[in-house]
Amino acid sequence: MKIVVEKPFWDIFPDAKIGILYAEGITNKEEETLAKYGSMLRQAQENAWQYIENPEFAANPVIASWREAFRKFKTKKGVRCSIEALLKRIENGKGLGRISPLVDVYNSVSLDFGVPVGGEDVDKFEGTMRLTVAEGGEYFITLGSEESEPPYEGEVVYKDDGGAICRCWNWRESVRTQLNEDTKNAVFVIESCDELTAKNLPAALDELQARLEKVVGGTYTKAILTADSPEFSI
C-alpha cells in the first residue's frame, strides 16, 4: 500500500510539504490511555493563543496562509482549514472536548504547532491513498450524514479506490476511514501550504510520534513528502 501526492496537487502547491506518520499496533481505547493524555489537550489549548494574538482573526499569519491556499482550488462555500476551525473554537472560548485518544493527541499537536493534523484507519483503505484533485462525483459520506456528498471537480481531496477520504484538503473526513476504538493501524498527516506553515512541520511530526508512543503504543515510520519525493510505502 502507498500514500501518493499526485502531480495535480503539486501543480497548485509546488512548495507544500506533507508529513506522514504510519502507526502499527496501537490501542485507541480511552479507559486504557486517559491518564497518559488527559493534560495534553488542555495545555495545548492554552498554547494555541500564540497563533491568534491579532484581534483581527483573519490577519493572523497561520489563518491568512491557509485562507489564501483555499482560494486556489474549488471548495464548498464557507469551508475552512482544520487548524482554523480549531483556533476559532479557542478564540470563541468554546474549547475542545475529548473525542478519542488518537484524535485528542493529534488535536493537541495541531494546536501546539499551528498545523493541520488528521488521521485515518489504514485497514479501511481501498488501494492507494492519494492527495490530488477530484474528478467530481467521488463517493463521500461524512459524520452526521446518510447521503453521499461528492467533492466538486477541481477540489483538493484525499481519495482511494473507494471514494473520497477527506474533502477540501483537510476540512471534513469520510466516516468510511475514520479512526475508532477498534483502530489498530493508522496513518496521520500533517500539512503545510507554504514556507510559513512548513516551518513547524518537522517538529510537529516528531512530537506527534512521541505523544502517540506514550499514549497508544505501537511502532512508527514517517516521512515528509515533497514534489521531488511524493510517495510513501506502508
Side-chain angles (χ1 to χ4, degrees), residues 182-202:
D182 296 322
T183 297
K184 298 293 186 295
N185 305 298
V187 63
F188 300 90
V189 179
I190 303 179
E191 300 142 332
S192 70
C193 58
D194 57 19
E195 289 186 5
L196 170 69
T197 54
K199 182 174 64 174
N200 285 348
L201 193 153

Side-chain angles (χ1 to χ4, degrees), residues 102-123:
L102 292 177
V103 175
D104 295 349
V105 169
Y106 78 60
N107 277 342
S108 76
V109 171
S110 185
L111 291 173
D112 273 331
F113 291 88
V115 292
V117 186
E120 306 293 340
D121 190 320
V122 167
D123 296 326

Side-chain angles (χ1 to χ4, degrees), residues 149-204:
E149 301 176 54
Y152 300 121
E153 181 181 358
E155 182 179 323
V156 170
V157 297
Y158 288 94
K159 61 187 285 187
D160 63 6
D161 294 344
I165 290 172
C166 192
R167 283 196 59 184
C168 294
W169 195 345
N170 49 39
W171 167 63
R172 192 67 53 81
E173 69 170 354
S174 167
V175 295
R176 176 172 60 91
T177 58
Q178 70 182 9
L179 304 170
N180 60 42
E181 67 174 10
D182 296 322
T183 297
K184 298 293 186 295
N185 305 298
V187 63
F188 300 90
V189 179
I190 303 179
E191 300 142 332
S192 70
C193 58
D194 57 19
E195 289 186 5
L196 170 69
T197 54
K199 182 174 64 174
N200 285 348
L201 193 153

Side-chain angles (χ1 to χ4, degrees), residues 3 11 29 39 46-47 70 75 92 98 115 185 187:
I3 296 169
D11 288 344
K29 295 187 184 299
S39 64
E46 295 297 324
N47 296 342
F70 272 43
T75 65
N92 288 341
R98 288 180 176 147
V115 292
N185 305 298
V187 63

Side-chain angles (χ1 to χ4, degrees), residues 7 16 18 20 30 59 74 92 139 187 191 199 212:
K7 185 177 182 300
I18 309 296
I20 302 292
E30 185 167 0
K74 180 71 173 177
N92 288 341
Y139 184 78
V187 63
E191 300 142 332
K199 182 174 64 174
L212 288 171

Side-chain angles (χ1 to χ4, degrees), residues 14-41:
D15 298 321
K17 291 182 171 64
I18 309 296
I20 302 292
L21 180 66
Y22 174 51
E24 296 180 272
I26 55 181
T27 301
N28 191 31
K29 295 187 184 299
E30 185 167 0
E31 65 275 12
E32 298 177 18
T33 58
L34 180 59
K36 298 178 183 177
Y37 78 90
S39 64
M40 289 180 184
L41 191 57

